[in-house]
Structures are given as C-alpha cells and as structure tokens.
C-alpha cells in the first residue's frame, strides 16, 4: 500500500489494488469486484493485502480477514455497495472505530469503514433536545458539538473518543452512568438505514395499529424487504410478546439478543414502537445505520466523587445495594488484580499509591448535584454511618439523600471535588481493559465473559460462585467496572496458546452462562454478542425466542449477508481466535536491544490488543500518541495498525514480507519515534523501540542509504559546516542547491538547514576560562554536554544554560570527550553505531558520576537518550549510574530546586510552552513549566504532541508534507494561545516553529534562554 506523502492517500501495492484478494479462500483474484465497487462509489475501495490485514482484528480476542474495505463518503455510497453485494451474495460488515470486545467488528465480508469520512454533525435542535449526525462521528466529537448548548448524548462508553455513534447503536452502548441514563436505545428517535438489498429508508416511531398498513404500503411501492420487516414486527408483538416479557432479564443492563423487550414495553405502554430502536444491539445484522437522530440530556452542573476502599472484593460487592439507595450517578468497582496492574502503570502509579495500605478493592461512587455544596452533602450522607468525622457535616434540613439503615463497610474514603482529581479517578477506571492486558506474557486476561450482568443485590453470591469456578480451573480473574447496575468486567487469566487454553475458555463460558441464568442476569450487559457470546443466546432465551431472533433476522436480511453469524447465527466462540495452539511466531532475526519484559520482543509485538487507544487522539490535541495518525487518520499510521502488521508478518499471515522495502517504508517509515505510545498507550506498547529493532535488521540485510549515514553522523556534518562558516551558510542559500540536495540525497528542498556558527559553544567556553563557580563553593557539580546542535548551531542556548546554572551556584564542566549522545544514529535504527557511541560515552561519563557529577543536556532528546535508550542498548552498573544521573537542564533545576538560589526579575511576558515529545513520553516535561513560572513568567503549557519535525524526519523529501501536517496541529495551538511568545526546548521543534513563523525571521527561544533573561 504505497503512501503518497503529498496527497496522503493510499493505492494498492505495486499499483494493483486487488493483487492479494482471495475471495472465500478459492485462490481466485476478483478484480471484477474491485472495479465494480470503484465504479459505484466516491469513497476509497481498498482490497490490498495490507488494508485487509489491518481490518482483520478489533479489540477482541478474534481475527478474520475481510474481503476488502470500502470507506464510503455518503449514504449513496453505502447503498451502492450493499446493492451490488446483495446481487452477488457477498457479505457486508459496517464498522466504526473497531473497538468491539466480542468480535462483532471482524468478519469475512466487505467492510464499510464509517469512521474515515461519514463523521459529520448534521443538526442540533437545543429546544427539542435532539441532534442528528452521521454514523461515523465519535461520541466525544458529538458531545463537543453539543457542549455549547449545555447538552450531551448520555450513554458514555469508556472509549467514547474512539467509539462512533452507529457503533454505539449497533452495540446498544451504555457506560458508567447507566444508573441515570440507561442504554443507547432509549435515545434513538430516528435512524436512516440501508437495508440488505440497498434500499434507503428511515425507521422511527410507528403506531402498533399502523404496522399492517405500513407493510402493505411498502409492498405496493415495491419494497419487499421493508414490507417483511413491518409484518414480522407485527407478528412478534402479537405472538411472542408474553414469551419476551417472561424470558428477558429484568435489568437495566442487557444487550444480548435483539432489542425485543423494549419493543414490547413500548407497544404496551405507548401503543407505538420505534423500529430505529431495533437497530440497538443488532450489531449490523439487520440494517446499516448511516445517520441517526438522538435525544439528549442536560449536562449536570456539578459532580462529586468518593473512592471507597476495601480489604476485599466481596465486602465491596455487599456495599453496592445500600449505596444505590443514595441515588448515585455511578458506582464502579476495581479489584486487587486491577489495582496491582495499575500500580505498575506509569500513568496511574501515583494515584494508586494514595490508597490506604492493604486496599484490595475500591468503589468509585459519583453523585450529580446542582451545587458543589450539594455534592459534598451527598457524600457526607453516604459516609455518615461509617466514618464519625462526617456526622458533623450532615445538615438535618438537607434532602440530598437519606442515610440508610445498612452500614457501609468501606475501610476508608478518598474524596474528589475538583475537576483534575476527578478526571484522574475516572481515567484509571476507564483504562481498565488495556491495563489488564498490559502484561506481555502468554497468560492474559481475556474478555470472553467479561461483561456478564446480574441484579446488584445478587452480586456477592454471584462473585463467590465465580471464584469457586475459577478455582476449579486453577485460574483467577479481575473484577472491575459497573457494579451499580450489576455489570462486572470479569477477565479470567488464560493461555489460549496452550493446548487446553481454548477448551478452558469454552467450559468457563458455559458454566458462567448457567450462573447468569440462575441469578436472573444477562450474558452481556454492555459489549454485545459477537463471536464470543452468540452461541449462548439460545441457553439464555430458550429455543422459541432463538427462533424468533432468526425470523426477525430473515425478515430484514433474507440472504443473511449483513455481518453473518452474529446475535442469532452460527459463530463458534472457539474459532477464529487471534491466538490458539496453532499460533506461531517467527521474527526471523535475533533482537539486539534489551527486552526485560516477559516474552521479550515477541511479547511487545503481541502486546497490542486493539483497544484503539491510539486512534482517539485525532479528536483532541492532548497527549503525544500518535502524530502521524492525527495528521493522516489512516489505520496504518496508528500504533495499533503498525503492531497488527508486525504481528501478521511474524505469525505467517504475511510471509516473507517484513524486510521488504514496501513493508518497512509503509508500516514503519511513518513511526517518528516520539515514544508517545510508551506512555499514552494504556498497555504501554513501545512502538519506537520495536521499530528500531526491525529497521536495524532491515539495514543489516539491505544496507544503508547515503542520507541515513549523513543524518546518523550529523555531528561531523555540523562540525564541517561550522569550520567553513559563514561560507557554508551562504553556500546553502545558492539558488539550485536545495533542488540538488533533494534530487541527490532526498532532503526536502523546502527545508532550511540550521545556521552554522564558527564560534562554537565549546570555543566560547574555553575562551571564557571555563567554570566561574569554584567547585569548593558549589551547590552541585554538573557536566554540561555540548551536543552537536548546541555546539555548532545554537551556541547561545548553551551559554544561557551556563549563565543560569552558575547563577544557581553550580560548578560546571563542559567535557570534550562527550558530544554526540548517539541519538541521531538511534533515530535511524543504526543500533550498532548508536551502541558504540553509547559505550564510549558511558566509559567517559561513569567515572565522573562515581565522583558525584551530574550529567546535564540542553537538548531533550539527548537527555532521554542517556536516561532511557542507553539502558535498552547496554547493561551493567555503569550505564545504570549514568542513566540515573542524567537530566535535561530544566528538569535538573527543578529536581533539585536550584532556582531557589536565584533572584529573578523576569520581563512582563507571557509564554506558550511547547514541550518535547520524548520528555512528555517519559513524564519529565513538567519541570520546565515550573521553572519558568517561578522565574516570573505567565506560562500557557500547551497540551501539544509532536511538532512533526522529529529530528531528521521533517527533512526527508518523502516525509515533508506529513511533517508539516503534524506541525499544523501545533501551529493552531500556538495561534490560539493568548501569549506573547512561544518557547520550546527541542532544536527540531524550534526549527519547525521557525518555518511556521518565517515572518519573524528567527527561531523561538529555548526556555533556558528565557530563564537567563529573567536573571
């Protein structure tokens, strides 16, 4: 799949979009299908092998290669695809964000990718409290459009920034606040759908008495399928209503089977039914939702949260029922397994550390309120019977909630009223799925029974029985999520690669279904049937309703072409698994980096489970991951896409592919090594490190390009330019030189090189006589590394660092034996070169560290190189000592509060601070903001990602337009910041910002320069 950096579109490999298409496994290519669809739609038609592999998985344990992928731009496109596929008996699967946990978003079908284009907000009616939108809009984007009106789409799935509206309908999505809001079905007013023959129609409210007439009318108009639908709905209401009322679980949370209980309830209560609500929970098996009108809810004025802590999960479960008497908006549970994994996750370790010692379970309880005082009162009422300190806070005249007769058994309580603290609590809970799957071993917490639901009052007995069941299989499970409505995400730890792993999965599913039925619950309270649970619907509902499901399916889809096998089909939960005993993995090379995680390199490649965490960031500017996906919104440019492709290449799905030019350039070439996924991916997939391994091996096999060698040895290039400055600066501006560089070396002609300085930083250091603060009088002593960019191109940054550090009383030495950290070579995956540099540097630096010296860099990527990447390349006490004592210059000042020794007199300026992506990914970026503020500046810390320059990436001709597209996101943030000046510590970032602000004629300053200005 060739990436065109100018147009940011894809074509098929070698120009043939269908070269690898094998329909039904018959070995015959089908260019006729591709040509037919291309002739009928405006959107993209992609049947190349890479696209098919990218869409073969979702967030579940399943995998199946699709026939191909179409990204429609309109309902007309969808209808055209469906009509052609119906005529030719080809299955079709509508797909949104690919976040499905039960496998309903993968199938051998033509996939309709709604998220790419059909994601527009169409209309908002604040007075009627309704909105209309295309099916591919994410829930987060929908709510951003509604927020100015004080309204929201109430169902709130944890991955709302990745999940789309049509997917929420197909799955009958709910979320943490279902206690207040219920499921998606309650908010559907109308759905525009494409039927299984390509007919476009709208389903909404219909009087029950009019169903027969609607069937006749549709038949007269030649719409046979629509006529069948109205007739079958009428038959269900007449013949099966009592069975439906009796067999469906009496619960807020049940999304198993078709949505017939709501159909019956509305018919009996209102005398009318909404056929659009039949789409809820249908998983794309009845019709394809292209647009929907949904009702909305007011955004609550205030929220208040208390985190109750327990010494076990069963005491927490016993507290759920009495807590519900206080009318909370949410009650969420996290057990010991979950908390232990969160404790090891860098995003949540600080928060978990605040829990009382011995905490083995928590309940996150949230209340809605009109005022902050009311929210605090509701929490006080909840805790009054348990914690005496809260008695005094009770207002006898307050009606925010009565104290129950049942004592709450919590050991302790952590309250949260401010937005930041509440957001941290929720972020940890919502990251439950990927946190549980952050282990890289073969034993994983699989989601095959993960959202069973029982009435809340039955939770203690149900959990006790489940623990006995898991003991029988010598395993255990994590328990988290929506305890309030009785939905627990339960993930048994199994090794599906083992011979008996899949058998255990089946047997546990069977036994848990029996328990669910016994306790009056549902096999799915949230995430649907899919491949994991379809086969258990017959046991849950009985033979009669199972047949009723199939009759309804046949009325909507006579040939069973829409996402076949789901809800009432023939899916076997043990088939089409991503991992089973036949799974193989062959990297075909020996990794050269240190992999301390379980299963090493293989474990990291297999770590991505498809949660789509990396595909939600294009909706916002927060976080770092994944810069190229934000710019292109192509699956192959996401961390999930790259991880999937690498796994396919190593497990035999893409044999002999991994070290081809196409694979390396298409799959890995646009990973810019920002390290964002290492921190932002909740599972911690380290794609930058994985890429370094694979591309290094590619270099070993195919050799290196001249451009790679030049960038890896940039210290020599800059040294040469400095020697001949200013002639070298003039020479780079000679007309035609930029064109020649692009044609011969591949360096983008639109890029300007940094200026060369003849009077380098090190020359300046020597000329001033070295350190001005005697070692005997110094607070600390620091080696200030003269990296190539600082030395030859930005000497004034080095001088500012010296000025500030000496003002803080630091004795400085600028060592001649260490300049290049090895970062340029490492960024080009030239690991032998980088390791050799690292070995020399550690040999030179370790004796200094042993004598009490600190290592300080003004270039952030160099600091991270010493702190992190050296440990990936080398082992031993010396490299560990160097890594421990390496700092970025502002990190160093903040770490030791060195600025407390300085008198500042900052000019009256406000600064927009853009941090370096690698420092953000290693959680070291906040230090600069603290120093700048204490120096006296007003600072707007931009929640920005990568600037797009990424070292040499932005200089490369084929990546120039992508670099600028990434940079445009940062440019917009800078423009929106009400500040006087932008500052950035990274030389690459400053270069990118200088290109953006050419009219200013200079790069923005390094923040250390602004600190120097404030002395």
């Amino acid at each position: 799949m060739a990436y065109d950096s100018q147009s940011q579109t894809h074509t098929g490999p070698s120009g043939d979009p269908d070269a690898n298409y094998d329909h039904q496994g018959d070995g015959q290519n089908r260019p006729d299908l591709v040509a037919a669809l291309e002739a009928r739609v405006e959107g993209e038609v992609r049947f190349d092998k890479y696209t098919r592999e990218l869409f073969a998985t979702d967030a579940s344990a399943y995998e199946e290669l699709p026939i191909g992928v179409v990204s429609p731009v309109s309902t007309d496109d969808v209808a055209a695809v469906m009509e052609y596929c119906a005529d030719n008996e080809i299955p079709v699967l509508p797909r949104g964000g690919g976040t499905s946990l039960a496998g309903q978003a993968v199938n051998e079908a033509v996939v309709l990718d709604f998220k790419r284009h059909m994601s527009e907000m169409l209309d908002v009616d604040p007075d009627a409290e309704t909105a209309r939108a295309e099916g591919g809009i994410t829930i987060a984007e929908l709510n951003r459009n509604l927020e100015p009106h004080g309204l929201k789409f109430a169902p709130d799935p944890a991955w709302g920034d990745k999940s789309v509206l049509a997917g929420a309908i197909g799955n009958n999505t709910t979320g943490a606040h279902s206690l207040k809001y219920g499921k998606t079905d309650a908010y559907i007013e109308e759905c525009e759908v494409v039927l299984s023959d390509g007919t476009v129609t709208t389903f909404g409210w219909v009087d029950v008495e009019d169903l027969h007439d609607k069937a006749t009318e549709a038949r007269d108009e030649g719409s046979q399928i629509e006529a069948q639908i109205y007739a079958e709905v009428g038959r269900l209401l007449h013949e099966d209503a009592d069975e439906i009322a009796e067999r469906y679980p009496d619960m807020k949370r049940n999304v198993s089977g078709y949505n017939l209980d709501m159909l019956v309830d509305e018919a009996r209560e209102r005398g009318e039914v909404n056929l659009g609500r039949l789409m809820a929970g249908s998983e794309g098996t009845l019709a394809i939702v292209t647009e929907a009108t949904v009702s909305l809810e007011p955004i609550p004025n205030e929220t208040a949260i208390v985190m109750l802590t327990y010494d076990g999960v069963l005491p927490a479960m016993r507290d759920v029922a009495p807590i519900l008497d206080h009318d909370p908006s949410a009650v969420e549970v996290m057990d010991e397994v979950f908390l232990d994994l969160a404790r090891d996750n860098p995003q949540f370790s600080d928060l978990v550390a605040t829990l009382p010692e011995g905490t083995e379970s928590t309940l996150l309880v949230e209340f809605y309120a009109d005022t902050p005082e009311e929210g605090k009162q509701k929490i006080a009422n909840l805790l009054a019977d348990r914690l005496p300190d809260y008695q005094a806070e009770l207002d006898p005249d307050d009606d925010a909630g009565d104290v129950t007769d049942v004592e709450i058994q919590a050991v302790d309580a952590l309250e949260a009223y401010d937005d930041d603290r509440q957001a941290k609590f929720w972020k940890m809970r919502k990251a439950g799925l990927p946190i549980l799957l952050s282990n890289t071993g073969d034993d994983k917490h699989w989601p095959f029974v993960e959202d069973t639901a029982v009435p809340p009052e039955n939770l203690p007995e149900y959990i006790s029985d489940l623990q006995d069941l898991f003991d029988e299989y010598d395993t255990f499970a994590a328990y988290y999520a929506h305890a309030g409505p009785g939905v627990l995400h339960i993930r048994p730890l199994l090794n599906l690669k083992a011979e008996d792993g899949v058998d255990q999965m089946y047997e546990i599913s069977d036994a848990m279904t029996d328990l669910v039925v016994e306790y009056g619950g549902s096999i799915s309270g949230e995430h649907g049937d899919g491949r994991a649970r379809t086969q258990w619907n017959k046991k849950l509902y009985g033979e009669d309703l199972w047949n009723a499901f199939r009759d309804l399916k046949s009325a909507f889809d006579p040939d069973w072409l829409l996402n076949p096998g789901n809800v009432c089909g023939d899916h076997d939960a043990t088939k089409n698994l991503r991992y089973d005993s036949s799974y193989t993995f062959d990297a075909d090379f020996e990794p050269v980096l240190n992999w301390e995680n379980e299963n090493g390199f293989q474990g990291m490649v297999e770590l991505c489970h498809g949660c789509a965490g990396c595909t939600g960031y294009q909706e916002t500017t927060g976080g770092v991951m994944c810069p190229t996906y934000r710019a292109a919104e192509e699956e192959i440019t996401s961390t999930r896409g790259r991880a999937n492709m690498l796994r396919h290449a190593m497990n035999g799905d893409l044999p002999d592919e991994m070290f081809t030019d196409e694979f390396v350039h298409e799959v890995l070439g646009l990973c810019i090594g920002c390290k964002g996924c290492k921190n932002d991916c909740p599972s911690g997939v380290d794609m930058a490190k994985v890429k370094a391994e694979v591309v290094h091996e590619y270099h070993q096999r195919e050799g290196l390009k001249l451009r790679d060698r030049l960038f890896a040895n940039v210290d020599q290039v800059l040294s040469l330019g400095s020697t001949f400055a200013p002639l070298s600066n003039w020479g780079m501006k000679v007309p035609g030189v930029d064109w020649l560089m692009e044609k011969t070396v591949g360096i983008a002609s639109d890029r300007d090189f940094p200026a060369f300085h003849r009077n380098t930083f090190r020359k300046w250091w020597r000329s001033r006589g070295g350190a001005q603060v005697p070692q005997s009088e110094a607070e600390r002593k620091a080696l200030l590394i003269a990296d190539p960019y600082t030395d030859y191109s930005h000497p004034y940054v080095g001088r500012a660092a010296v000025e500030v550090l000496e003002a803080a009383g630091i004795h400085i030495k600028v060592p001649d034996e260490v300049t290049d950290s090895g970062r340029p070579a490492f960024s080009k995956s030239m690991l032998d070169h980088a390791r050799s540099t690292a070995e020399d540097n550690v040999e030179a630096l370790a004796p200094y560290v042993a004598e009490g010296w600190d290592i300080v860099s003004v270039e952030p990527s160099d600091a991270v190189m010493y702190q992190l990447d050296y440990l990936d390349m080398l082992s031993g006490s010396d490299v560990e000592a160097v890594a421990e004592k390496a700092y970025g210059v502002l990190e160093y000042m903040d770490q030791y509060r060195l600025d407390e020794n300085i008198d500042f007199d900052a000019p009256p300026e406000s600064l927009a601070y853009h941090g370096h992506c690698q420092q953000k990914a290693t959680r070291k970026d906040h230090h600069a903001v603290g120093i700048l503020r204490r120096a006296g500046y007003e600072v707007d810390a931009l929640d920005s990602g990568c600037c797009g320059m990424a070292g040499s990436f932005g200089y490369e001709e084929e990546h120039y337009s992508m670099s600028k597209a990434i940079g445009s996101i940062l440019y917009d943030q800078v423009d929106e910041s009400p500040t006087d000046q932008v500052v950035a510590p990274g030389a690459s970032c400053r270069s990118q910002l200088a290109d953006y602000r050419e009219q200013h004629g200079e790069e923005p300053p390094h923040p250390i320069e602004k600190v120097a200005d404030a002395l």
Side-chain angles (χ1 to χ4, degrees):
M1 188 160 44
Y3 190 84
D4 178 346
S5 63
Q6 301 298 318
S7 65
Q8 296 178 9
T9 60
H10 286 75
T11 62
S14 306
D16 181 358
D18 195 47
N20 296 281
Y21 173 55
D22 178 5
H23 178 56
Q24 300 288 347
D26 60 5
Q28 300 296 315
N29 289 335
R30 286 285 305 276
D32 57 317
L33 173 56
V34 177
L37 294 179
E38 286 180 332
R40 286 165 168 77
V41 304
E42 294 182 45
E44 297 96 345
V45 178
R46 299 176 180 174
F47 281 58
D48 60 275
K49 60 183 176 182
Y50 284 9
T51 298
R52 294 172 67 212
E53 294 288 359
L54 287 166
F55 283 81
T57 56
D58 54 10
S60 72
Y62 296 94
E63 176 176 289
E64 185 160 13
L65 199 66
I67 295 169
V69 178
V70 177
S71 299
V73 300
S74 65
T75 299
D76 288 343
D77 273 3
V78 177
V81 172
M82 190 67 250
E83 182 179 11
Y84 181 83
C85 288
D87 289 344
N88 292 274
E89 299 184 349
I90 300 170
V92 175
L93 164 63
R95 173 169 162 141
T99 60
S100 304
L101 289 167
Q104 54 265 60
V106 296
N107 217 328
E108 186 183 3
V110 172
V111 171
L112 292 171
D113 174 21
F114 276 88
K115 192 176 181 182
R116 179 146 176 77
H117 297 302
M118 294 185 65
S119 57
E120 294 298 313
M121 186 78 178
L122 300 175
D123 183 52
V124 181
D125 186 340
D127 294 332
E129 296 188 344
T130 61
R132 186 166 61 93
E134 290 184 312
I137 192 170
T138 64
I139 304 303
E141 180 63 19
L142 176 64
N143 281 328
R144 268 191 289 276
N145 281 275
L146 298 173
E147 186 175 7
H149 304 288
L151 298 169
K152 66 176 181 177
F153 178 66
D156 57 342
W159 288 129
D161 53 346
K162 298 93 180 168
S163 306
V164 304
L165 178 59
I169 293 171
N171 199 63
N172 204 3
T173 288
T174 177
H177 295 92
S178 63
L179 287 172
K180 290 289 187 185
Y181 298 126
K183 299 172 293 189
T184 293
D185 52 12
Y187 299 90
I188 298 172
E189 297 300 321
E190 194 172 83
C191 286
E192 178 189 83
V193 301
V194 175
L195 300 178
S196 61
D197 62 352
T199 299
V200 179
T201 191
T202 299
F203 286 140
W205 290 102
V206 180
D207 286 340
V208 173
E209 294 178 354
D210 293 340
L211 287 171
H212 176 75
D213 292 340
K214 294 285 288 185
T216 301
E217 179 183 335
R219 190 172 294 108
D220 291 344
E221 293 176 357
S223 182
Q224 183 61 32
I225 289 181
E226 198 169 356
Q228 292 173 187
I229 291 168
Y230 285 112
E232 178 59 21
V233 170
R235 189 203 65 77
L236 278 170
L237 293 174
H238 179 68
E239 298 180 11
D240 296 324
D242 290 341
E243 180 75 2
I244 291 167
E246 180 180 345
R247 291 300 299 253
Y248 269 71
D250 184 17
M251 294 186 63
K252 288 179 178 287
R253 299 285 290 262
N254 171 36
V255 298
S256 288
Y258 289 125
N259 202 23
L260 303 186
D261 54 340
M262 172 167 271
L263 193 76
V264 170
D265 289 344
E266 288 176 345
R268 289 177 170 178
E269 294 171 9
R270 302 177 49 155
E272 58 180 348
V273 292
N274 189 326
L275 268 63
R277 297 182 177 186
L278 265 181
M279 302 301 102
S282 65
E283 301 183 359
T285 63
L286 299 181
I288 302 170
V289 176
T290 52
E291 294 179 10
T293 299
V294 293
S295 55
L296 310 172
E297 292 283 345
I299 297 172
N301 291 338
E302 300 288 341
T303 56
I305 288 177
V306 59
M307 181 86 80
L308 302 175
T309 70
Y310 299 84
D311 56 11
V313 70
L314 286 177
M317 293 299 95
R318 295 186 190 106
D319 266 4
V320 172
I323 289 171
L324 292 179
D325 290 340
H326 288 263
D327 192 29
S329 57
V331 181
E332 303 285 295
V333 65
M334 292 175 278
D335 78 337
E336 181 182 16
V337 176
F338 180 100
L339 294 174
D340 284 346
L341 290 169
R343 188 175 286 109
D344 295 333
N345 187 295
Q347 288 195 66
F348 309 113
S349 55
D350 292 344
L351 180 58
V352 178
T354 65
L355 299 176
E357 185 176 352
T359 297
E360 295 187 0
S361 186
T362 67
L363 288 178
L364 184 156
V365 184
E366 182 192 71
F367 293 96
Y368 287 162
D370 291 330
T371 65
E373 293 73 22
E374 183 188 7
K376 291 180 180 179
Q377 185 66 52
K378 287 185 175 184
I379 288 178
N381 290 343
L382 175 67
L383 299 175
D385 280 349
R386 179 59 185 167
L387 301 177
D389 291 344
Y390 284 87
Q391 294 287 349
E393 298 182 27
L394 285 172
D395 181 349
D397 298 324
D398 181 79
D399 61 357
D402 296 328
V403 179
T404 63
D405 294 333
V406 181
E407 182 177 321
I408 301 299
Q409 299 297 309
V411 173
D412 207 341
L414 284 71
E415 296 166 79
Y417 300 106
D418 66 274
D419 291 343
D420 289 343
R421 184 168 170 83
Q422 289 189 30
K424 287 180 180 178
F425 281 9
W426 274 117
K427 186 175 183 180
M428 182 170 73
R429 215 307 286 143
K430 289 186 175 185
L433 163 64
I435 282 178
L436 286 175
L437 295 186
S438 60
N439 62 305
T440 58
D442 290 335
D443 291 320
K444 295 184 184 294
H445 292 276
W446 292 107
F448 57 99
V449 289
E450 62 98 36
D451 63 328
T452 56
V454 300
E457 62 272 17
N458 294 339
L459 279 173
E461 293 79 9
Y462 176 59
I463 293 298
S464 179
D465 286 350
L466 284 183
Q467 290 179 337
D468 291 342
L469 172 64
F470 296 146
D471 287 344
E472 290 180 27
Y473 288 90
D474 193 26
T475 188
F476 63 95
Y479 303 89
Y480 71 100
H482 318 299
V487 179
L488 298 183
H489 294 336
I490 301 169
R491 293 176 166 267
L493 189 72
L494 294 177
N495 179 7
L496 297 185
K497 296 178 184 177
E499 289 289 343
D500 60 350
V502 176
D503 291 339
Q504 291 176 349
M505 170 185 165
Y506 178 89
E507 291 164 9
I508 289 172
S509 296
D510 191 18
M512 283 188 67
T513 301
D514 290 337
L515 285 175
V516 163
V517 172
E518 177 185 343
Y519 284 108
S522 167
I523 57 175
S524 178
E526 183 167 19
H527 295 143
D529 296 322
R531 295 174 176 274
R533 289 181 281 272
T534 286
Q535 73 183 91
W536 306 113
N537 273 333
K538 186 182 295 187
K539 180 180 285 191
L540 177 65
Y541 289 113
E543 190 76 32
D544 290 343
L545 286 186
W546 174 259
N547 289 330
F549 291 163
R550 294 174 69 83
D551 290 342
L552 184 69
K553 164 71 172 173
S554 295
F556 273 91
D557 182 16
D559 296 320
W560 287 54
L561 296 177
L562 286 169
N563 203 8
N566 290 277
V567 183
C568 58
D570 57 359
H571 280 328
D572 182 336
T574 66
K575 304 299 182 184
N576 297 104
L577 289 164
R578 194 181 307 186
Y579 303 107
D580 59 22
S581 60
S582 66
Y583 175 83
T584 60
F585 184 94
D586 181 12
D588 195 27
F589 71 97
E590 285 296 322
V592 299
L593 295 175
N594 296 329
W595 295 91
E596 303 299 333
N597 56 284
E598 188 175 0
N599 278 1
F601 176 73
Q602 176 180 348
M604 184 58 68
V605 171
E606 295 175 351
L607 182 57
C608 174
H609 59 277
C611 76
C614 49
T615 70
Y617 286 93
Q618 88 280 7
E619 302 285 2
T620 66
T621 51
V624 177
M625 182 178 68
C626 177
T628 49
Y629 183 83
R630 295 187 200 213
E633 297 187 31
E634 290 275 4
E635 182 73 16
I636 201 169
T637 62
S638 69
T639 302
R640 175 175 74 172
R642 295 183 183 114
N644 270 329
M645 294 301 290
L646 282 165
R647 182 173 49 80
H648 289 310
M650 296 179 198
N651 71 5
D653 290 342
L654 292 171
D656 304 319
E657 189 76 21
M658 186 165 58
F659 299 113
T660 62
D661 290 348
E662 181 186 10
F663 189 92
V664 170
H665 296 152
E666 303 297 342
V667 177
L668 298 175
L670 292 179
C671 171
I672 60 180
C674 67
K675 297 184 183 293
C677 51
K678 181 179 176 62
N679 184 66
D680 291 348
C681 170
S683 294
V685 174
D686 192 344
M687 185 51 61
K689 186 176 176 181
V690 170
K691 173 196 173 179
E693 281 280 21
V694 176
V695 177
H696 169 72
E697 178 64 19
Y698 171 76
H699 289 329
Q700 301 299 108
R701 299 180 183 213
E702 303 298 329
L704 290 160
K705 294 181 179 179
L706 173 61
R707 186 180 65 186
D708 292 335
R709 295 184 185 276
L710 286 173
F711 283 130
N713 293 282
V714 71
D715 57 328
Q716 298 176 27
V717 175
L718 294 176
S719 175
L720 189 64
S722 173
T723 300
F724 291 100
L727 290 176
S728 51
N729 293 324
W730 299 338
M732 294 305 298
K733 298 183 184 300
V734 172
V737 169
D738 52 357
W739 175 88
L740 184 63
M741 292 287 286
E742 181 169 299
K743 297 303 179 185
T744 58
V745 185
I747 295 175
S749 59
D750 290 323
R751 284 290 186 196
D752 292 329
F753 277 90
F756 303 110
H757 289 259
R758 193 175 186 86
N759 185 24
T760 66
F761 169 59
R762 282 187 293 171
K763 286 181 181 178
W764 170 84
W765 172 258
R766 288 191 293 268
S767 69
R768 81 191 291 261
Q772 302 297 302
V773 177
Q775 185 170 341
S776 59
E777 300 175 10
E779 288 283 328
R780 303 184 70 87
K781 51 186 180 180
L783 299 174
L784 184 61
I785 305 299
D787 67 88
Y789 284 99
T790 301
D791 196 19
Y792 301 117
S793 294
H794 303 89
Y796 41 85
V797 176
R799 296 175 196 173
V802 169
E803 188 177 0
V804 173
L805 289 173
E806 289 190 335
I810 305 301
H811 175 70
I812 299 172
K813 178 180 176 64
V814 178
D816 284 328
E817 60 266 45
V818 177
T819 55
D820 176 20
S821 69
R823 169 63 67 196
F826 192 90
S827 71
K828 304 308 297 179
S829 300
M830 296 169 60
L831 300 185
D832 292 339
H833 183 158
R835 181 182 290 104
S836 177
T837 301
E839 288 172 340
D840 292 343
N841 288 347
V842 169
E843 184 178 359
L845 294 172
Y848 282 107
V849 172
E851 294 174 4
W853 289 81
D854 303 313
I855 303 164
V856 178
S857 299
V858 297
E859 181 58 37
S861 62
D862 282 336
V864 175
M865 189 74 183
Y866 295 121
Q867 294 166 337
L868 181 66
D869 297 299
Y870 274 23
L871 296 174
D872 286 336
M873 293 188 291
L874 306 175
S875 300
S877 58
D878 283 351
V879 68
E880 291 171 1
V882 167
E884 184 179 356
K885 285 297 181 180
Y887 306 91
V889 61
L890 293 166
E891 173 195 358
Y892 182 57
M893 292 189 65
D894 192 40
Q895 180 81 19
Y896 295 105
R897 292 296 195 198
L898 302 179
D899 57 309
E900 293 177 356
N901 300 329
I902 303 174
D903 291 328
F904 288 112
D905 184 19
E909 295 177 11
S910 58
L911 306 174
Y913 174 76
H914 164 65
H916 192 276
C917 54
Q918 292 187 346
Q919 281 195 319
K920 289 185 176 184
T922 52
R923 307 177 76 201
K924 296 179 182 294
D925 185 56
H926 61 283
H927 298 289
V929 175
I931 294 292
L932 288 168
R933 286 174 176 164
R934 293 199 296 272
Y937 293 103
E938 180 182 336
V939 182
D940 177 14
L942 302 178
D943 191 6
S944 51
C946 182
C947 71
M949 197 67 180
S952 63
F953 179 86
Y955 284 100
E956 296 166 352
E957 181 272 330
E958 70 274 23
H959 295 147
Y960 174 76
S961 64
M962 174 61 80
S963 172
K964 299 300 286 186
I966 297 170
S968 68
I969 302 172
L970 171 61
Y971 303 158
D972 290 343
Q973 288 180 280
V974 172
D975 283 342
E976 292 168 4
S977 178
T979 51
D980 300 321
Q981 188 178 34
V982 62
V983 296
S988 292
C989 306
R990 299 197 300 276
S991 176
Q992 182 83 304
L993 286 165
D995 279 359
Y996 166 56
R997 294 192 160 183
E998 290 177 348
Q999 67 273 21
H1000 290 188
E1002 60 183 17
E1003 291 183 353
H1006 190 296
I1008 196 67
E1009 295 179 82
K1010 301 306 295 182
V1011 178
D1013 289 345
L1015 293 176

